[in-house]
Amino acid sequence: MSCSFRFHSSAVPAAAQLLHLPRGLRPPSSRTFSPTLSISPPSRPAAIAASSPLGESQEASAMAVSASEVVGQYDLLIVGPGVLGRIVAVRWQQEHPGCKIYGHTATTDHHSELTQLGIIPSLKGPAVQKVPYVIFCAPPYRTDDYTGDLRVAASNWNGEGSFLFTSSTAVYDCSDNGLCSEDSPCAPIGRSPRTDVLLKAENAVLEAGGSVLRLDAASLAIAIMKRRLRARVFVGCDNQPLSRQEIMDLVNRSGKFDTKFQGFTGTDGPLGKRMENSKTRAEIGWQPKYASFTEFLGLSN
């Protein structure tokens, strides 16, 4: 069984969470390797900082004040501000001090956390103001109308900066460990409900003039948005794909876990694909922070 795992410059937490280590493998407390997100919050907007304790009234106040302000040239809307979205938010605010960052969510469960990170949260839907930058990184399983959600996100974009959708390499028509790049053929609509929902969402984004990034890396997403490109497809990977077995062999070698991986419970299923993104790197001028998963673990080849 072979598949392609890509770890990028977004940060160690995102890479660790994408790995989905088998049950029983947990890093010991004495190690520094941890899948826990750790972000130092940037300075919060004055409207938020001056509010009363965290709560719905604070969010309403923040939204009311921000709605009356002029839209900034670097204001950003993040639809689905989870792990990736929060890293993007922090880095974007570091690059563009004073910008406003909005976060659209499916529930209010994490609004207080977003507020502490300087993100102005609200439930997903049409925004009070359109903004120049929008990134959509919400997963499809939290909604009954993923394509519709993408169209709403597109309606919140004023068309000036960039609209980016983080998709998946699952859309490529390959499951035999073949090599895929940005221009490889995608699976036809109707073959799989999983790929159908992604392809239809991608089409909605491209029709609106937005771009698609298959797989997720915060630094690559930001680099693409800064280029202000229209209706393009990009791929994020490290160009050094590994099989699941190779990944777990490296994890065992790293010594970062008390428990050793013994083996998989099943071996059925497709072989997956090997991804290559030289075209994306050349056009965007981007390189991953870690050249490979091996380097990410601090191991030599």
Side-chain angles (χ1 to χ4, degrees):
M1 177 181 289
S2 173
C3 70
S4 175
F5 279 74
R6 290 146 297 275
F7 294 89
H8 317 287
S9 60
S10 55
V12 170
Q17 292 198 22
L18 285 173
L19 180 56
H20 297 301
L21 296 174
R23 184 178 301 173
L25 282 181
R26 297 292 185 270
S29 58
S30 61
R31 306 288 185 177
T32 59
F33 181 83
S34 171
T36 303
L37 179 67
S38 176
I39 300 176
S40 298
S43 300
R44 293 186 289 166
I48 298 177
S51 300
S52 55
L54 297 175
E56 294 297 327
S57 61
Q58 180 184 22
E59 294 174 15
S61 175
M63 292 300 294
V65 173
S66 62
S68 65
E69 297 175 352
V70 176
V71 175
Q73 62 176 327
Y74 296 112
D75 285 357
L76 170 67
L77 167 62
I78 302 172
V79 182
V83 174
L84 172 64
R86 295 183 193 196
I87 297 171
V88 167
V90 171
R91 295 190 178 190
W92 190 263
Q93 200 159 40
Q94 289 171 344
E95 292 194 27
H96 307 291
C99 73
K100 294 185 293 296
I101 299 181
Y102 303 92
H104 281 192
T105 62
T107 71
T108 61
D109 294 349
H110 301 285
H111 279 195
S112 62
E113 300 170 20
L114 297 175
T115 301
Q116 292 180 31
L117 290 173
I119 300 172
I120 303 171
S122 65
L123 293 176
K124 65 181 181 180
V128 176
Q129 294 177 321
K130 295 186 177 184
V131 295
Y133 292 91
V134 177
I135 180 171
F136 190 106
C137 39
Y141 60 81
R142 297 292 299 272
T143 177
D144 294 328
D145 186 7
Y146 201 51
T147 302
D149 288 350
L150 264 299
R151 291 197 174 101
V152 171
S155 74
N156 293 331
W157 176 42
N158 66 14
E160 294 179 4
S162 184
F163 175 32
L164 182 65
F165 168 48
T166 59
S167 185
S168 169
T169 58
V171 300
Y172 288 111
D173 189 14
C174 177
S175 59
D176 59 356
N177 201 34
L179 185 65
C180 292
S181 63
E182 294 87 348
D183 300 322
S184 295
C186 292
I189 295 289
R191 173 179 294 177
S192 163
R194 181 191 177 196
T195 56
D196 281 1
V197 69
L198 290 172
L199 288 169
K200 290 177 181 178
E202 287 188 0
N203 288 338
V205 173
L206 296 171
E207 288 170 3
S211 293
V212 171
L213 171 58
R214 291 169 177 161
L215 275 199
D216 50 0
S219 67
L220 178 55
I222 290 173
I224 292 170
M225 288 194 292
K226 288 168 67 175
R227 293 293 301 273
R228 302 185 179 189
L229 300 169
R230 297 291 182 267
R232 303 294 301 279
V233 174
F234 301 97
V235 166
C237 64
D238 62 15
N239 283 348
Q240 296 192 41
L242 299 170
S243 69
R244 293 185 178 95
Q245 185 63 57
E246 288 170 329
I247 288 174
M248 299 318 301
D249 289 343
L250 289 170
V251 168
N252 282 345
R253 276 182 53 199
S254 72
K256 297 182 182 294
F257 296 86
D258 287 332
T259 305
K260 292 292 185 181
F261 173 71
Q262 300 299 324
F264 294 99
T265 58
T267 57
D268 295 333
L271 294 176
K273 55 185 69 71
R274 294 177 293 118
M275 296 306 307
E276 190 272 338
N277 70 340
S278 297
K279 183 177 178 180
T280 293
R281 295 187 188 210
E283 182 168 358
I284 303 302
W286 172 87
Q287 295 292 330
K289 181 177 180 180
Y290 299 98
S292 66
F293 183 59
T294 305
E295 182 178 312
F296 164 71
L297 289 175
L299 301 172
S300 58
N301 292 321

